[in-house]
Amino acid sequence: MAADGRRQSEVGAAGGEPQGVSDTTIVHLVYGLQMASFFVGITAIVGVILNYVRRDRVAGTWLESHFTWQIRTFWYALLWTLVGIATLFILVGYLILLGVFLWSIYRVAKGWLNLADGWPMYAEPG
């Protein structure tokens, strides 16, 4: 770990600028992809793939909680969307889909706000 809390893999040889795309930028990008998925559904899949590809890099850091939050948001939203679609014919599916939509917006907004404030998920700011 570098003195400022960044993982050594993010710090350049001289201890200066990060090399490549930072882990924080990836988390921002995934939140953006999750939000864009309300208009273009495939972007959430790209986001969860990025989470799984970069997950080992953030193990043990405060960003790990954001990766877990994003991955769970994707899988639970997918599961409940499929349940909603399967139950459309009995009309309850519409309520399930509305619930998934609102819940997903909440999860992305809460996660992105915590990230912007430098807070991990599952921890109370204060």
Side-chain angles (χ1 to χ4, degrees), residues 46 48 51 61:
V46 174
V48 81
N51 281 139
T61 70

Side-chain angles (χ1 to χ4, degrees), residues 74-87 93 96-97 99-100 103:
F74 173 82
W75 287 113
Y76 283 116
L78 178 62
L79 170 69
W80 284 104
T81 297
L82 294 175
V83 170
I85 290 169
T87 58
I96 292 172
L97 291 175
V100 170
W103 178 82

